[in-house]
Amino acid sequence: MAAQVAGTVFAKISASQTGRILADLDLKPHRVRGWLTRRDSPDFWERVADVCSLYRNPPEGAVVLSIDEKTAIAARSRRHPGVPAAPGRDVREEFEYRRHGTASIVAAMDIRTGEVLSEPIVRNNAVTFTAFLARLDAVIEPGKEIHVVLDNGSSHTAKHTRKWFQAHPRWRVHFTPPHASWLNQVELFFSALTRRVLRHGDFSSRDDLIDKMDHYVIAHNEKAKPYRWTYDGTPLKTS
């Protein structure tokens, strides 16, 4: 049957037929994409150019690092085991879970090699951050210039951190613009960590979560390669 409203005739179709029509036209009205409007200022483009130039032409003989924290990672265990995939059936995961606290890490990635050094942190503040920088400074060959890409997090811009950099002049800081975290290459590593370890992981404790993240970093470094990175996220056209 059909319904008529104000001279317009609407065909009555079932929910399943509606689904078939949407699927055939590749329409997904239920999906929503969000964005954050960036600040279109001269400083934005100056910082973008600085960071991209560093990636494309790293100074000869210098160490180039991308550093950031990943905080409040939940250690959760599911109340019941999942069900593995089978022909015609997706993997099934238990909806309910138990909480076992959270963990945070700080990580530094060498953009020339793709290798990552990470460690758990209890507090995400300037004192913790500069202590991590000091450990890096101690193991990097003396005399080498160090360039580091950072976002504008409070631990990176605090007065305490600025004083630390002033006292260590071989460190050259390149700040990404506000709301431009994709410019920091270590975010690519965090994205892979989330997909491969955290999103579907089952962790019996905070220590178990940290241990599994450490194992992932070790495995990553055994086959590490520099990221083939592009500013807008599109695949590279050339090798």
Side-chain angles (χ1 to χ4, degrees), residues 22 35 56 59 77 103 109 117 136 140 164 178 213-214 224 231:
L22 293 176
W35 78 92
R56 296 183 64 188
S77 61
M109 186 182 77
L117 175 67
L136 292 173
I140 295 174
W164 190 93
M213 288 193 291
D214 286 345
Y231 168 77

Side-chain angles (χ1 to χ4, degrees), residues 7-224:
T8 302
V9 177
F10 296 93
K12 183 177 180 181
I13 60 177
S14 66
S16 59
Q17 186 177 353
T18 301
R20 287 193 295 271
I21 293 171
L22 293 176
D24 185 59
L25 297 175
D26 195 27
L27 298 176
K28 301 178 177 63
H30 61 284
R31 298 186 64 178
V32 177
R33 295 189 65 182
W35 78 92
L36 179 64
T37 303
R38 61 168 172 76
R39 304 172 188 174
D40 192 4
S41 63
D43 179 65
F44 181 95
W45 295 109
E46 289 169 5
R47 292 194 189 190
V48 167
D50 177 52
V51 172
C52 289
S53 177
L54 178 66
Y55 290 157
R56 296 183 64 188
N57 302 293
E60 187 69 29
V63 175
V64 182
L65 302 175
S66 172
I67 301 180
D68 201 6
E69 299 91 353
K70 186 172 181 61
T71 59
I73 307 166
R76 304 185 300 186
S77 61
R78 304 184 190 282
R79 289 184 177 273
H80 303 283
V83 179
R89 187 186 69 199
D90 296 333
V91 174
R92 295 180 180 178
E93 292 182 344
E94 169 65 25
F95 178 78
E96 289 188 304
Y97 54 83
R98 296 182 177 89
R99 297 177 183 271
H100 305 290
T102 62
S104 300
I105 60 173
V106 59
M109 186 182 77
D110 186 326
I111 70 157
R112 294 181 190 271
T113 66
E115 292 180 310
V116 172
L117 175 67
S118 70
E119 63 180 43
I121 56 176
V122 177
R123 293 181 178 82
N124 181 24
N125 57 26
V127 173
T128 300
F129 181 65
T130 55
F132 180 67
L133 296 179
R135 284 189 283 278
L136 292 173
D137 190 67
V139 298
I140 295 174
E141 182 181 334
K144 274 188 175 289
E145 192 174 74
I146 304 170
H147 290 256
V148 57
V149 178
L150 299 173
D151 65 18
N152 299 273
S154 59
S155 62
H156 308 158
T157 59
K159 183 176 180 180
H160 176 86
T161 304
R162 294 199 303 270
K163 284 186 176 181
W164 190 93
F165 282 125
Q166 290 171 1
H168 297 79
R170 70 167 175 156
W171 287 74
R172 309 290 181 86
V173 184
H174 304 257
F175 284 107
T176 64
H179 309 320
S181 61
W182 78 89
L183 286 174
N184 203 346
Q185 284 198 28
V186 75
E187 297 296 341
L188 297 172
F189 171 78
F190 286 153
S191 176
L193 174 68
T194 298
R195 294 192 309 273
R196 297 171 184 172
V197 179
L198 305 178
R199 183 170 295 158
H200 302 290
D202 202 331
F203 311 104
S204 60
S205 66
R206 180 178 180 275
D207 288 343
D208 181 43
L209 168 61
I210 292 171
D211 186 57
K212 287 175 178 173
M213 288 193 291
D214 286 345
H215 277 81
Y216 177 77
V217 173
I218 293 170
H220 167 87
N221 287 339
E222 289 175 350
K223 299 180 180 180

